[in-house]
Short mmCIF file of all heavy atoms in Angstrom, two decimals:
data_model
loop_
_atom_site.label_atom_id
_atom_site.label_comp_id
_atom_site.label_asym_id
_atom_site.label_seq_id
_atom_site.Cartn_x
_atom_site.Cartn_y
_atom_site.Cartn_z
N VAL A 1 77.78 108.14 77.60
CA VAL A 1 78.13 108.53 78.96
C VAL A 1 78.73 109.93 78.99
O VAL A 1 78.46 110.74 79.86
CB VAL A 1 79.11 107.50 79.56
CG1 VAL A 1 79.53 107.92 80.96
CG2 VAL A 1 78.47 106.12 79.59
N GLN A 2 79.59 110.26 78.00
CA GLN A 2 80.29 111.54 77.99
C GLN A 2 79.83 112.44 76.85
O GLN A 2 80.48 113.44 76.55
CB GLN A 2 81.80 111.29 77.89
CG GLN A 2 82.35 110.52 79.09
CD GLN A 2 83.83 110.23 78.96
OE1 GLN A 2 84.37 110.30 77.85
NE2 GLN A 2 84.48 109.94 80.07
N THR A 3 78.77 112.11 76.19
CA THR A 3 78.27 112.94 75.10
C THR A 3 76.84 113.33 75.37
O THR A 3 76.15 112.73 76.20
CB THR A 3 78.35 112.19 73.75
OG1 THR A 3 77.46 111.06 73.81
CG2 THR A 3 79.76 111.73 73.45
N ASN A 4 76.39 114.35 74.66
CA ASN A 4 75.01 114.81 74.80
C ASN A 4 74.22 114.62 73.50
O ASN A 4 73.33 115.39 73.19
CB ASN A 4 74.99 116.29 75.20
CG ASN A 4 75.49 116.49 76.61
OD1 ASN A 4 75.16 115.71 77.49
ND2 ASN A 4 76.31 117.52 76.82
N THR A 5 74.59 113.59 72.75
CA THR A 5 73.88 113.29 71.51
C THR A 5 72.45 112.85 71.83
O THR A 5 72.27 111.94 72.64
CB THR A 5 74.58 112.17 70.73
OG1 THR A 5 75.96 112.52 70.58
CG2 THR A 5 73.94 111.98 69.37
N PRO A 6 71.44 113.48 71.24
CA PRO A 6 70.06 113.10 71.54
C PRO A 6 69.78 111.65 71.12
O PRO A 6 70.29 111.17 70.12
CB PRO A 6 69.23 114.08 70.70
CG PRO A 6 70.15 115.21 70.40
CD PRO A 6 71.53 114.62 70.31
N LEU A 7 68.98 110.97 71.94
CA LEU A 7 68.59 109.60 71.62
C LEU A 7 67.45 109.63 70.62
O LEU A 7 66.35 110.07 70.94
CB LEU A 7 68.15 108.88 72.90
CG LEU A 7 69.22 108.70 73.97
CD1 LEU A 7 68.61 108.11 75.23
CD2 LEU A 7 70.35 107.83 73.47
N LYS A 8 67.69 109.18 69.41
CA LYS A 8 66.67 109.23 68.37
C LYS A 8 66.45 107.85 67.76
O LYS A 8 65.56 107.11 68.14
CB LYS A 8 67.06 110.24 67.28
CG LYS A 8 67.02 111.69 67.75
CD LYS A 8 67.33 112.64 66.61
CE LYS A 8 67.27 114.10 67.06
NZ LYS A 8 67.57 115.03 65.95
N ARG A 9 67.30 107.49 66.81
CA ARG A 9 67.10 106.26 66.04
C ARG A 9 67.15 105.02 66.93
O ARG A 9 68.06 104.89 67.76
CB ARG A 9 68.18 106.17 64.95
CG ARG A 9 67.95 105.08 63.93
CD ARG A 9 68.98 105.15 62.83
NE ARG A 9 70.32 104.92 63.36
CZ ARG A 9 71.41 104.94 62.61
NH1 ARG A 9 71.34 105.23 61.33
NH2 ARG A 9 72.59 104.70 63.16
N LEU A 10 66.16 104.16 66.77
CA LEU A 10 66.01 102.90 67.51
C LEU A 10 65.59 103.11 68.97
O LEU A 10 65.30 102.14 69.66
CB LEU A 10 67.31 102.08 67.48
CG LEU A 10 67.65 101.41 66.15
CD1 LEU A 10 69.09 100.91 66.16
CD2 LEU A 10 66.69 100.25 65.89
N VAL A 11 65.56 104.36 69.46
CA VAL A 11 65.22 104.61 70.86
C VAL A 11 63.94 105.46 70.94
O VAL A 11 62.89 104.98 71.34
CB VAL A 11 66.37 105.32 71.60
CG1 VAL A 11 66.03 105.47 73.08
CG2 VAL A 11 67.67 104.54 71.44
N LYS A 12 64.03 106.72 70.55
CA LYS A 12 62.87 107.61 70.56
C LYS A 12 62.12 107.59 69.23
O LYS A 12 60.95 107.94 69.17
CB LYS A 12 63.31 109.04 70.87
CG LYS A 12 64.03 109.21 72.20
CD LYS A 12 63.12 108.94 73.37
CE LYS A 12 63.83 109.23 74.69
NZ LYS A 12 62.98 108.92 75.86
N GLN A 13 62.84 107.23 68.17
CA GLN A 13 62.25 107.20 66.83
C GLN A 13 62.53 105.85 66.18
O GLN A 13 63.58 105.24 66.43
CB GLN A 13 62.83 108.33 65.96
CG GLN A 13 62.58 109.72 66.48
CD GLN A 13 63.29 110.79 65.67
OE1 GLN A 13 64.00 110.48 64.71
NE2 GLN A 13 63.13 112.04 66.07
N PRO A 14 61.60 105.37 65.33
CA PRO A 14 61.83 104.07 64.68
C PRO A 14 62.90 104.16 63.59
O PRO A 14 63.08 105.21 62.97
CB PRO A 14 60.46 103.75 64.08
CG PRO A 14 59.83 105.08 63.83
CD PRO A 14 60.31 105.97 64.95
N LEU A 15 63.60 103.07 63.39
CA LEU A 15 64.56 102.97 62.30
C LEU A 15 63.81 102.50 61.06
O LEU A 15 63.28 101.38 61.03
CB LEU A 15 65.69 101.99 62.65
CG LEU A 15 66.68 101.66 61.54
CD1 LEU A 15 67.44 102.90 61.09
CD2 LEU A 15 67.67 100.59 61.99
N LYS A 16 63.74 103.35 60.05
CA LYS A 16 62.98 103.03 58.83
C LYS A 16 63.87 102.89 57.61
O LYS A 16 63.38 102.60 56.52
CB LYS A 16 61.92 104.10 58.58
CG LYS A 16 60.83 104.15 59.64
CD LYS A 16 59.71 105.09 59.25
CE LYS A 16 58.58 105.05 60.27
NZ LYS A 16 57.44 105.91 59.86
N ALA A 17 65.18 103.12 57.75
CA ALA A 17 66.12 102.94 56.63
C ALA A 17 66.71 101.54 56.75
O ALA A 17 67.54 101.27 57.62
CB ALA A 17 67.21 104.00 56.70
N PHE A 18 66.27 100.63 55.88
CA PHE A 18 66.65 99.23 55.98
C PHE A 18 67.75 98.84 54.98
O PHE A 18 68.01 97.66 54.78
CB PHE A 18 65.42 98.33 55.74
CG PHE A 18 64.23 98.72 56.57
CD1 PHE A 18 63.03 99.05 55.96
CD2 PHE A 18 64.31 98.76 57.95
CE1 PHE A 18 61.92 99.41 56.71
CE2 PHE A 18 63.22 99.13 58.71
CZ PHE A 18 62.02 99.46 58.10
N ASP A 19 68.39 99.84 54.36
CA ASP A 19 69.37 99.52 53.32
C ASP A 19 70.76 99.26 53.90
O ASP A 19 71.61 98.68 53.22
CB ASP A 19 69.45 100.67 52.31
CG ASP A 19 69.74 102.01 52.97
OD1 ASP A 19 69.20 102.22 54.06
OD2 ASP A 19 70.47 102.82 52.40
N ASP A 20 71.03 99.65 55.14
CA ASP A 20 72.37 99.47 55.71
C ASP A 20 72.23 99.03 57.16
O ASP A 20 72.64 99.72 58.09
CB ASP A 20 73.16 100.78 55.60
CG ASP A 20 74.63 100.59 55.99
OD1 ASP A 20 75.10 99.45 55.94
OD2 ASP A 20 75.27 101.59 56.36
N LEU A 21 71.68 97.82 57.36
CA LEU A 21 71.44 97.33 58.71
C LEU A 21 72.62 96.51 59.23
O LEU A 21 73.02 96.64 60.38
CB LEU A 21 70.16 96.49 58.76
CG LEU A 21 68.85 97.24 58.46
CD1 LEU A 21 67.68 96.27 58.55
CD2 LEU A 21 68.64 98.40 59.42
N LEU A 22 73.19 95.63 58.39
CA LEU A 22 74.23 94.71 58.82
C LEU A 22 75.61 95.25 58.45
O LEU A 22 75.75 96.32 57.87
CB LEU A 22 73.99 93.34 58.21
CG LEU A 22 72.60 92.73 58.51
CD1 LEU A 22 72.45 91.40 57.79
CD2 LEU A 22 72.39 92.56 60.01
N GLY A 23 76.64 94.47 58.77
CA GLY A 23 78.00 94.92 58.51
C GLY A 23 78.57 95.67 59.69
O GLY A 23 77.85 96.14 60.58
N GLU A 24 79.90 95.82 59.72
CA GLU A 24 80.59 96.47 60.84
C GLU A 24 80.13 97.91 61.05
O GLU A 24 80.08 98.40 62.16
CB GLU A 24 82.10 96.43 60.61
CG GLU A 24 82.73 95.08 60.88
CD GLU A 24 82.54 94.63 62.33
OE1 GLU A 24 82.74 95.47 63.23
OE2 GLU A 24 82.18 93.46 62.55
N LYS A 25 79.81 98.60 59.95
CA LYS A 25 79.36 99.98 60.06
C LYS A 25 77.85 100.11 59.88
O LYS A 25 77.33 101.20 59.70
CB LYS A 25 80.08 100.84 59.02
CG LYS A 25 81.59 100.93 59.25
CD LYS A 25 82.24 101.86 58.25
CE LYS A 25 83.75 101.96 58.49
NZ LYS A 25 84.40 102.88 57.51
N GLY A 26 77.18 98.96 59.93
CA GLY A 26 75.72 98.98 59.79
C GLY A 26 75.03 99.56 61.02
O GLY A 26 75.62 99.66 62.11
N SER A 27 73.78 99.93 60.86
CA SER A 27 73.04 100.60 61.93
C SER A 27 72.90 99.74 63.18
O SER A 27 72.99 100.24 64.30
CB SER A 27 71.65 101.01 61.42
OG SER A 27 71.75 101.83 60.29
N LEU A 28 72.70 98.41 62.99
CA LEU A 28 72.42 97.55 64.13
C LEU A 28 73.67 97.28 64.97
O LEU A 28 73.63 97.38 66.21
CB LEU A 28 71.80 96.24 63.65
CG LEU A 28 70.48 96.38 62.88
CD1 LEU A 28 69.93 95.03 62.48
CD2 LEU A 28 69.45 97.15 63.70
N LEU A 29 74.78 96.94 64.31
CA LEU A 29 76.01 96.70 65.07
C LEU A 29 76.54 97.98 65.70
O LEU A 29 77.09 97.97 66.80
CB LEU A 29 77.06 96.08 64.15
CG LEU A 29 76.91 94.58 63.86
CD1 LEU A 29 77.95 94.11 62.87
CD2 LEU A 29 76.99 93.77 65.14
N THR A 30 76.38 99.10 65.00
CA THR A 30 76.81 100.39 65.57
C THR A 30 76.03 100.70 66.85
O THR A 30 76.61 101.13 67.85
CB THR A 30 76.59 101.52 64.55
OG1 THR A 30 77.34 101.22 63.37
CG2 THR A 30 77.03 102.85 65.11
N HIS A 31 74.73 100.45 66.81
CA HIS A 31 73.91 100.68 68.01
C HIS A 31 74.31 99.72 69.13
O HIS A 31 74.36 100.11 70.30
CB HIS A 31 72.44 100.52 67.67
CG HIS A 31 71.53 100.67 68.84
ND1 HIS A 31 71.15 101.88 69.36
CD2 HIS A 31 70.94 99.72 69.64
CE1 HIS A 31 70.37 101.70 70.40
NE2 HIS A 31 70.22 100.40 70.59
N GLN A 32 74.59 98.48 68.78
CA GLN A 32 74.90 97.47 69.78
C GLN A 32 76.19 97.78 70.54
O GLN A 32 76.35 97.39 71.70
CB GLN A 32 75.01 96.09 69.10
CG GLN A 32 75.14 94.93 70.06
CD GLN A 32 75.01 93.61 69.35
OE1 GLN A 32 73.96 92.98 69.38
NE2 GLN A 32 76.08 93.17 68.71
#
C-alpha cells in the first residue's frame, strides 16, 4: 500500500526457487 516495490515473484513471475518455501521466513508465508 505504501511502497513501490515491483510485483514479481508469485505475481508477474513464477516462483522457481523451491528450497525455502515453508517456515516463518519462507517465501509462501512471507507472501501470504
Side-chain angles (χ1 to χ4, degrees):
V1 178
Q2 298 178 342
T3 64
N4 291 319
T5 308
L7 297 174
K8 291 184 179 180
R9 190 175 63 181
L10 287 167
V11 185
K12 301 294 185 182
Q13 299 174 359
L15 173 62
K16 295 188 176 183
F18 310 122
D19 55 322
D20 188 22
L21 295 180
L22 304 177
E24 284 299 316
K25 295 184 180 180
S27 303
L28 300 182
L29 281 176
T30 301
H31 177 80
Q32 188 170 260

